[in-house]
Amino acid sequence: MSDNVRTYTAEHVDDEQETESSADEELQCPECSGQLATDTEHGETVCADCGLVVEEDEIDRGPEWRAFDSREKDEKSRVGAPTTNMMHDKGLSTNIGWQDKDAYGKSLSSRQREKMQRLRTWNERFRTRDSKERNLKQALGEIDRMASALGLPENVRETASVIYRRALDEDLLPGRSIEGVSTASLYAAARQAGTPRSLDEIAGVSRVEKDEIARTYRYVVRELKLEIQPADPESYVPRFASDLGLSDESERRARQLLDTAKSQGIHSGKSPVGLAAAAVYAASLLTNEKVTQSEVSEVANISEVTIRNRYHELLEAEDGIAMS
DNA sequence: ATGGTTTTTACTGCGTC
DNA sequence: GACGCGGTAAAAACCAT
């Protein structure tokens, strides 16, 4: 059972990414010919694999037009102001008394009792479904807001929504804040999609504290059995490089450094961000494009010491290959 | 809670512009 | 003298147990 769930998600997520990128303008990267997700509609250009500029901090002014299955697609096909949480079902939901009495206070026949029991069951089902829908709506708004602030592409938001929805379905919410779980979902989605953001960055746009995000994230990942491999250092490279205004050449070198490091297993246990930052710095030295350690540490949010340690290791690994 | 590992903080010395 | 860089020791953060 749980196996089913897992494989389903994995495939589902993959599907989504592919259809997403191919639905947009088909752009293949000349360098890496990897997946290149552009979202011209929202003014974002994001390529996970190769050295294309990632535009950050863009504001998404698109309509709330998200659909999660074909049914919702039909219902939601409209443009307009986002639905607000002002719409309560205030007084509109049904309530069925628990006593087996009719309106005059008389007891019901056993057949009637059975019927009422069935009605209660169904009513309860619909009621909780409604509350979940409201919950979801709020969470999606939150996810969208944060994703916009971080300049994350559409497919990441989709994935985040899927994760959140599953968390909701599996009753992971009680005891946790909606915001916390939305943030965690987004964090997870960003990593799964290969455009990771560090916990710090995520925490910067969330209303929730960093360690709570981390806690919730771990919890969600464990409960939903999400398979999330440690972030690939290379996925940080383009962002850092463009933040520092480095050439494509440097970026290529940085990747190359990381590859050889990986092939030698230098990278295990080390923070991916640190490695990426070090690779970028090292590459800038190799191509004579002056960037200082402190500049790199600035954009990567990593200490200079770590950069130093890592980039020594990177260069050593490179030399080792060159010798043999 | 604990212990091992990694990252950060703070400080110092060296060379260069 | 300020700046970039390298190294070190101790503290803090992180992770698995």
Side-chain angles (χ1 to χ4, degrees):
Chain A
M1 163 64 178
S2 68
D3 249 359
N4 273 342
V5 174
R6 184 191 350 206
T7 53
Y8 166 74
T9 341
E11 285 170 12
H12 191 54
V13 167
D14 275 348
D15 273 351
E16 208 143 48
Q17 285 174 346
E18 272 169 31
T19 54
E20 190 65 29
S21 51
S22 58
D24 282 280
E25 273 89 329
E26 290 273 6
L27 285 184
Q28 277 237 328
C29 183
E31 286 276 332
C32 67
S33 74
Q35 116 234 31
L36 175 58
T38 58
D39 190 348
T40 44
E41 202 181 1
H42 297 141
E44 297 164 348
T45 307
V46 181
C47 174
D49 281 348
C50 77
L52 233 54
V53 178
V54 178
E55 288 294 341
E56 280 191 295
D57 299 332
E58 296 252 340
I59 297 171
D60 177 6
R61 297 186 180 76
E64 188 216 41
W65 228 55
R66 200 125 305 124
F68 301 96
D69 55 42
S70 52
R71 182 182 57 80
E72 278 195 23
K73 203 170 210 163
D74 291 334
E75 289 176 0
K76 282 195 169 180
S77 287
R78 52 151 179 75
V79 179
T83 48
T84 70
N85 293 306
M86 308 297 286
M87 300 185 201
H88 253 290
D89 70 276
K90 218 174 194 176
L92 289 179
S93 64
T94 320
N95 239 322
I96 302 180
W98 54 272
Q99 301 161 71
D100 290 317
K101 300 278 177 70
D102 65 13
Y104 303 103
K106 290 199 195 130
S107 296
L108 298 168
S109 68
S110 69
R111 174 170 297 190
Q112 284 294 324
R113 271 210 299 276
E114 258 178 58
K115 186 174 175 183
M116 293 312 289
Q117 201 49 55
R118 278 202 304 280
L119 286 176
R120 278 195 201 98
T121 308
W122 279 102
N123 188 47
E124 181 62 16
R125 281 181 195 162
F126 282 123
R127 205 183 55 70
T128 60
R129 244 204 95 202
D130 276 1
S131 90
K132 282 189 176 181
E133 289 297 319
R134 278 201 301 278
N135 183 324
L136 191 63
K137 212 162 259 181
Q138 190 188 336
L140 294 187
E142 199 60 20
I143 288 174
D144 231 35
R145 184 184 64 76
M146 292 185 290
S148 294
L150 290 172
L152 286 167
E154 191 71 12
N155 59 343
V156 174
R157 299 176 209 193
E158 297 274 353
T159 311
S161 326
V162 173
I163 295 175
Y164 188 91
R165 194 172 262 270
R166 284 193 55 212
L168 196 57
D169 284 346
E170 311 228 343
D171 287 324
L172 264 42
L173 263 294
R176 263 151 259 272
S177 68
I178 293 177
E179 310 226 318
V181 180
S182 338
T183 314
S185 306
L186 183 62
Y187 178 60
R191 286 184 60 168
Q192 254 188 355
T195 52
R197 291 294 181 276
S198 72
L199 257 178
D200 288 303
E201 291 173 291
I202 297 273
V205 298
S206 172
R207 300 178 214 269
V208 184
E209 289 307 307
K210 189 175 141 194
D211 33 351
E212 188 183 336
I213 300 173
R215 237 196 2 260
T216 314
Y217 167 73
R218 270 192 284 274
Y219 176 72
V220 169
V221 167
R222 183 159 42 82
E223 291 301 316
L224 296 184
K225 303 207 167 62
L226 296 178
E227 288 176 10
I228 298 185
Q229 43 297 73
D232 183 350
E234 287 190 45
S235 49
Y236 290 101
V237 170
R239 206 150 47 88
F240 294 164
S242 76
D243 278 356
L244 292 165
L246 289 172
S247 67
D248 294 349
E249 174 60 15
S250 316
E251 201 178 314
R252 216 180 48 73
R253 303 294 305 254
R255 261 170 224 295
Q256 187 186 320
L257 285 168
L258 287 174
D259 279 342
T260 62
K262 264 188 262 179
S263 70
Q264 302 210 4
I266 303 289
H267 62 304
S268 84
K270 308 286 167 45
S271 122
V273 195
L275 279 164
V280 169
Y281 174 71
S284 88
L285 287 183
L286 294 175
T287 52
N288 281 322
E289 295 180 47
K290 212 49 206 145
V291 286
T292 67
Q293 294 178 354
S294 71
E295 282 172 313
V296 180
S297 83
E298 186 74 19
V299 304
N301 270 308
I302 256 341
S303 80
E304 300 177 37
V305 180
T306 307
I307 294 179
R308 282 201 280 276
N309 293 335
R310 281 309 89 74
Y311 103 83
H312 283 144
E313 294 167 10
L314 287 179
L315 292 181
E316 264 175 47
E318 190 81 345
D319 281 352
I321 294 281
M323 300 292 187
S324 59

